Amino acid sequence: MSWLLSIRHAVTALILLALPLLAAEPVVLKFCLRSEPKTFHPLKAGDDASETVRFLTAGTLLKVNRKTQLPEPSLATKWKVLDGGQVVQFKLREGIRFSDGTAFTPEDVVYTFKQVAEIRSGFTDSLRQGDLAPTASVTGKNEVTVRFAGVTAGWERLLDGLGILSEKSPAKEKAVLGPFMVAEYKTGQYVLLGRNPNYWMRDAQGQTLPKVDQIRLDITTNRDLEALRFRRGEIHMINKVEPDTYQTLAGQMPGAVRNAGVSFESEQLWFNQVTKSPIPAYKLAWFRSSGFRRAVSESIRRDDLARIAMKGLAVPGVGPVSPGNTVWFNSKLKPHAYAPAVALAKLQKEGFRKKADGLYDAAGNRVEFSIITNAGNKTRERLATMIQADLAEIGIRVNVVTLDFPALLERITRGYSYEACLLGLTNVDQDPNGQMNVWLSSAANHQWNPSQARPETAWEAEIDKLMRAQARTVVLAKRKEMFDRVQAIVHEQAPFLYLVHKNVLTAIHPSVRNSLVTVLFPHVFSNAEQIELQSSGVYRSAR
Amino acid sequence: MKRLAAGLLIALALAALAGEFLLPARYDQQFREETDALPGAKHPLGTDELGRDRAARLLAGARVSLLLAPAASVLAIALGATLGLTAGWFGGWWDRAVSTVIDLMISVPIFLVLITVRAVLPLNVSPVSSVMITFLLLGLLGWAGSARVIRGACQTQLNSDYVLRALAAGCSRTRVLLVHLLPNLWPVLRTQFIVAVPGFILDEANLSLLGLGVAEPLPSLGSLLKELTNLPTSPNWLGLAAPAVLLATAVGACEFLLPPKEGAS
């Protein structure tokens, strides 16, 4: 019997030895990046994938609460705005270390601002005024003063994206102050983020954060594959779900989909108004006429677009700011009403004539144009097909052309060899300053007529003036007044025909706890450090 | 069986041609209050997500695919036969040049070429022109396989006894080509044609799956097949599966029209 007892003891000992190993199995939160991250440098991040990694790894002076949309202390415990908004004094948190153990000091903040001045990227440009970058200096114990080149409206939002770098760490930008740090990266496959052992934040019970050990970001460009992997439990979350996928998932996993309401994003149509574009002069004349653009806009049934093409998961498009952006939306504006008779009357005023076989301009040219959109996007294909049918009712013939994305970008950004384009704006900033690259007539993203040497129309000149003025104004009410006027001009002139404002649609596996769904980017992991995973039951496979 | 297959194909072609008259709705008419309707008296196969009659779209799509795919096949076989025959007949440097081009055409991914060519085409073309351009491109780019087979068959025939005897008896090369060789190559050409038709239908279907096929609102079997991805969740399995059934029937009928393999009973 003694040998039997010995075996039993040995087995017990083995189990006891194995228990800590089992317990040490890391808890991994998994979701997808839809493209390869272009950089892990927090000041250079511009694409979605890089911004996701930056958001999860970088520590910032303050953080905009994605729920309340208000700034909250982070590395800075408090701040004071001086000189009418040109200077901000920050009191820094004490006793913090970077992920590699290097101490966080005020000199790191100063160093970060020096890097902002040296590195040119979309993000660092947004902090500049002209060519002048903000500067920082140590002005007391744990106190840093940041001086912007001019009064900078919405500086809180800009600093929410400024990842603080370490001046002294040998790991350079790899040393981070956020909840996670980049642990492994396989090109084309995944980015593995590990827990930052020195992360300063604690939960309400005083427990260390983050709650999961790792985040695995699988690089999956195919959205159908992403949805399939979600259904199989191989990933835990989808940050942005298309309406078709949302409906499918809602049928199969009703508890997993979330509709957070109207997003800041929109789908829009615009006409090519570039003077040097290779389109016929008579078509350019149509497209540059606000009467023509308004008539087209008023011939589109936006209610149907939202109900059918967007599966009821959107609202009719109003203007540059979605009703979801409660702070900046101009509530006096309403979507252009569907009124084909009024539209035809407008067109007739401009010399257009409706005949039995269609609409003709004053010179006898048949009104016909093509709408390009990106191939494979079912929602946009549906939108374009419905617009095609709507415009046929007033005699306009529309040809829908789907192109692969690089070919489409080539046409709208370089050759300008297109007539109308249907695309959407994504990750739209809450603050109007985030849209400067769209509204300034000199901007490259002023899609209908980009990079103008000087404004070609009076209304574009007025928008330029208003946008620049609001960026130099600190008082929110005054800024709102100016940006309301910008919205009204855009609504009147219709350089973009806003079709729909999409809802924020996400999917979160039932095994995920504490995920906060927000209208602001990132929609499902803005509180990544608080997210927990249910460790048992059917969802274990996702670990 | 061949007669049945031929009859089926003819019936399909007739239904496709007469589709406009058989059904009350046009293929592009959007019944926006009846989206995703189930099959019923008004819409025998239901409606799609934009409220368009699935039956009308199926017949219009079949008309597009079943008429233009054979046309593209004729073009491809004509090109393939011309190059394959001349390469086999003349031999020498011409044969080597043609063989190199054939190898090149087969090794180049046809979809990449199609996507590139489509990207530079004019945008303002009607859906009908767009579908004709798509099949024209398929025909112009899809001849290489046929050319290789026809070249091989031509060389085999050239070395056969009846050609040698004809040449020995004093027949001119032109007479040998037109009177003896071509009739003997006819089964090969016919087979290549029948094989190419479903191939082109599927190529167009693949292009449509990428969103680069026939332009809206014109349907094709390919663009209709895209909706099969909704089959697991849609209650209208009949409407979604119908294009696949029709395509399988057409392709199957084409296969039955092929001559039986040697030794097959």
Side-chain angles (χ1 to χ4, degrees):
Chain A
M1 276 311 272
S2 64
W3 61 270
L4 198 64
L5 206 63
S6 303
I7 288 174
R8 189 185 291 171
H9 285 156
V11 169
T12 312
L14 272 173
I15 291 170
L16 286 173
L17 278 172
L19 271 176
L21 290 176
L22 287 173
E25 184 191 348
V27 178
V28 187
L29 177 71
K30 296 178 183 177
F31 54 97
C32 290
L33 294 176
R34 288 177 174 177
S35 62
E36 197 81 27
K38 291 199 172 96
T39 178
F40 290 141
H41 196 299
L43 303 187
K44 295 178 184 170
D47 56 296
D48 267 10
S50 305
E51 284 204 10
T52 298
V53 175
R54 183 199 50 76
F55 186 87
L56 293 166
T57 58
T60 52
L61 291 173
L62 50 87
K63 230 174 177 52
V64 172
N65 183 315
R66 265 53 183 177
K67 200 77 182 172
T68 62
Q69 304 186 2
L70 293 170
E72 287 178 352
S74 184
L75 295 176
T77 52
K78 53 185 175 182
W79 55 87
K80 198 160 50 176
V81 181
L82 307 166
D83 284 1
Q86 198 170 343
V87 175
V88 189
Q89 213 169 54
F90 292 97
K91 192 78 183 164
L92 303 182
R93 204 174 286 278
E94 290 180 58
I96 296 177
R97 292 190 172 276
F98 281 88
S99 53
D100 67 339
T102 312
F104 166 62
T105 63
E107 283 75 19
D108 293 320
V109 179
V110 176
Y111 171 73
T112 303
F113 276 92
K114 279 184 185 162
Q115 291 297 299
V116 167
E118 283 177 19
I119 294 171
R120 293 306 294 245
S121 68
F123 174 71
T124 58
D125 282 352
S126 67
L127 286 165
R128 285 190 175 82
Q129 291 212 352
D131 270 346
L132 297 174
T135 55
S137 56
V138 181
T139 48
K141 188 175 179 258
N142 282 312
E143 189 182 280
V144 171
T145 301
V146 174
R147 178 174 289 275
F148 291 94
V151 173
T152 305
W155 59 269
E156 302 96 328
R157 179 193 50 81
L158 292 170
L159 294 194
D160 170 78
L162 178 65
I164 299 298
L165 303 169
S166 169
E167 185 187 19
K168 297 191 182 89
S169 167
K172 295 192 173 172
E173 73 268 9
K174 285 179 189 159
V176 293
L177 292 162
F180 298 94
M181 56 188 190
V182 177
E184 196 182 344
Y185 170 45
K186 293 262 185 210
T187 311
Q189 294 177 44
Y190 63 86
V191 181
L192 188 68
L193 305 179
R195 175 204 292 269
N196 174 0
N198 300 318
Y199 187 53
W200 58 272
M201 205 174 171
R202 299 283 181 274
D203 68 5
Q205 286 74 44
Q207 302 273 325
T208 55
L209 294 172
K211 295 200 170 176
V212 295
D213 299 312
Q214 294 175 336
I215 295 183
R216 187 183 154 111
L217 304 167
D218 286 327
I219 299 163
T220 307
T221 50
N222 185 315
R223 294 177 187 196
D224 292 332
L225 186 62
E226 186 183 21
L228 182 68
R229 295 191 63 199
F230 180 79
R231 281 200 290 271
R232 285 180 181 166
E234 291 172 7
I235 56 169
H236 296 102
M237 307 193 294
I238 306 180
N239 192 45
K240 201 186 287 180
V241 178
E242 298 305 311
D244 298 79
T245 312
Y246 181 90
Q247 276 209 327
T248 308
L249 288 175
Q252 294 170 339
M253 305 168 72
V257 288
R258 312 273 174 91
N259 180 351
V262 186
S263 73
F264 295 177
E265 300 178 359
S266 56
E267 293 290 334
Q268 63 235 39
L269 177 80
W270 74 87
F271 291 103
N272 181 359
Q273 298 184 45
V274 179
T275 324
K276 62 182 180 189
S277 67
I279 58 174
Y282 66 89
K283 285 196 176 181
L284 193 61
W286 304 342
F287 301 157
R288 288 177 76 96
S289 150
S290 62
F292 178 83
R293 296 193 300 267
R294 280 296 299 258
V296 169
S297 185
E298 286 162 16
S299 304
I300 295 171
R301 289 183 173 102
R302 285 178 172 75
D303 287 340
D304 283 357
L305 299 185
R307 182 174 58 87
I308 298 170
M310 303 301 294
K311 313 276 184 189
L313 299 166
V315 295
V318 184
V321 179
S322 134
N325 190 344
T326 48
V327 179
W328 292 99
F329 175 61
N330 181 347
S331 55
K332 286 180 193 155
L333 303 179
K334 299 280 174 275
H336 288 163
Y338 172 67
V342 177
L344 260 180
K346 270 188 186 144
L347 289 168
Q348 277 163 357
K349 258 189 195 171
E350 302 221 349
F352 290 89
R353 289 286 170 269
K354 184 149 191 258
K355 295 182 184 171
D357 63 336
L359 190 71
Y360 289 80
D361 69 6
N365 299 301
R366 172 82 202 256
V367 181
E368 176 179 9
F369 60 82
S370 59
I371 296 176
I372 57 171
T373 191
N374 56 317
N377 188 314
K378 292 178 202 167
T379 307
R380 290 194 183 132
E381 286 172 19
R382 281 197 298 264
L383 287 170
T385 308
M386 292 182 74
I387 292 169
Q388 183 183 47
D390 284 346
L391 296 188
E393 287 182 16
I394 59 162
I396 296 178
R397 188 190 286 163
V398 172
N399 298 308
V400 177
V401 183
T402 53
L403 295 170
D404 64 307
F405 212 70
L408 182 132
L409 278 184
E410 169 66 29
R411 282 181 186 267
I412 64 171
T413 59
R414 289 199 191 122
Y416 306 118
S417 172
Y418 73 100
E419 292 172 350
C421 180
L422 195 164
L423 275 183
L425 281 183
T426 57
N427 289 346
V428 183
D429 210 317
Q430 183 199 11
D431 193 279
N433 281 356
Q435 297 187 30
M436 290 292 259
N437 61 347
V438 174
W439 297 115
L440 292 183
S441 59
S442 56
N445 287 336
H446 193 70
Q447 295 293 0
W448 66 90
N449 191 5
S451 309
Q452 297 171 37
R454 63 173 60 109
E456 290 182 14
T457 60
W459 59 269
E460 282 174 298
E462 192 183 350
I463 289 179
D464 280 5
K465 202 172 129 193
L466 288 164
M467 287 304 288
R468 290 204 174 97
Q470 68 79 28
R472 288 193 300 269
T473 308
V474 176
V475 183
L476 182 70
K478 278 203 160 188
R479 291 186 69 206
K480 173 85 166 69
E481 196 181 309
M482 288 187 254
F483 197 55
D484 275 356
R485 173 69 190 139
V486 171
Q487 292 176 63
I489 295 171
V490 174
H491 190 267
E492 175 61 31
Q493 295 294 332
F496 283 136
L497 310 190
Y498 289 91
L499 305 172
V500 289
H501 297 296
K502 303 189 282 185
N503 284 8
V504 174
L505 307 173
T506 64
I508 302 171
H509 211 276
S511 59
V512 177
R513 286 185 180 168
N514 297 341
S515 171
L516 185 69
V517 179
T518 59
V519 172
L520 285 176
F521 174 87
H523 305 304
V524 291
F525 56 88
S526 62
N527 63 336
E529 69 279 353
Q530 307 272 3
I531 292 176
E532 285 181 273
L533 283 183
Q534 188 176 317
S535 58
S536 59
V538 291
Y539 306 115
R540 201 177 175 85
S541 64
R543 289 186 56 160
Chain B
M1 205 60 188
K2 272 191 180 181
R3 283 187 180 175
L4 180 66
L8 213 55
L9 275 178
I10 291 167
L12 277 178
L14 284 176
L17 285 171
E20 302 270 327
F21 311 103
L22 291 176
L23 293 161
R26 287 195 331 268
Y27 67 82
D28 59 348
Q29 196 172 349
Q30 296 176 2
F31 298 92
R32 292 189 179 175
E33 301 307 318
E34 298 170 48
T35 56
D36 289 318
L38 291 173
K42 188 175 174 190
H43 305 291
L45 291 175
T47 61
D48 69 5
E49 53 196 0
L50 297 183
R52 297 176 296 193
D53 186 272
R54 284 188 184 279
R57 290 184 67 73
L58 180 65
L59 292 182
R63 182 164 66 237
V64 165
S65 297
L66 296 181
L67 293 184
L68 288 180
S73 303
V74 168
L75 177 64
I77 303 303
L79 280 170
T82 308
L83 289 167
L85 263 178
T86 53
W89 182 255
F90 293 115
W93 68 269
W94 176 246
D95 182 29
R96 284 197 298 279
V98 170
S99 297
T100 306
V101 175
I102 289 173
D103 289 344
L104 195 70
M105 291 296 291
I106 288 173
S107 61
V108 171
I110 190 168
F111 279 142
L112 284 184
V113 179
L114 278 168
I115 288 169
T116 311
V117 174
R118 268 193 66 95
V120 296
L121 282 175
L123 299 177
N124 239 330
V125 288
S126 67
V128 174
S129 309
S130 141
V131 68
M132 291 177 89
I133 289 170
T134 302
F135 278 100
L136 181 70
L137 286 172
L138 287 172
L140 287 172
L141 295 168
W143 55 267
S146 312
R148 175 175 276 179
V149 172
I150 293 163
R151 172 187 164 273
C154 178
Q155 284 182 330
T156 308
Q157 296 291 330
L158 279 175
N159 292 326
S160 62
D161 290 346
Y162 78 91
V163 172
L164 292 174
R165 279 184 193 162
L167 288 169
C171 285
S172 69
R173 286 175 68 85
T174 314
R175 183 179 167 79
V176 170
L177 177 67
L178 296 176
V179 177
H180 297 290
L181 205 58
L182 267 181
N184 278 292
L185 285 175
W186 179 246
V188 179
L189 294 174
R190 198 183 61 173
T191 307
Q192 285 301 306
F193 170 77
I194 293 171
V195 168
V197 171
F200 285 135
I201 292 176
L202 293 175
D203 281 347
E204 191 279 321
N206 288 333
L207 272 179
S208 288
L209 279 173
L210 295 173
L212 297 164
V214 174
E216 286 281 3
L218 195 65
S220 70
L221 285 181
S223 63
L224 296 174
L225 283 173
K226 264 201 297 191
E227 295 186 60
L228 269 179
T229 52
N230 299 330
L231 194 61
T233 51
S234 170
N236 187 6
W237 59 269
L238 180 65
L240 292 178
V245 173
L246 193 142
L247 181 62
T249 309
V251 173
C254 285
E255 294 294 327
F256 274 113
L257 289 179
L258 287 173
K261 288 175 187 166
E262 279 180 25
S265 56

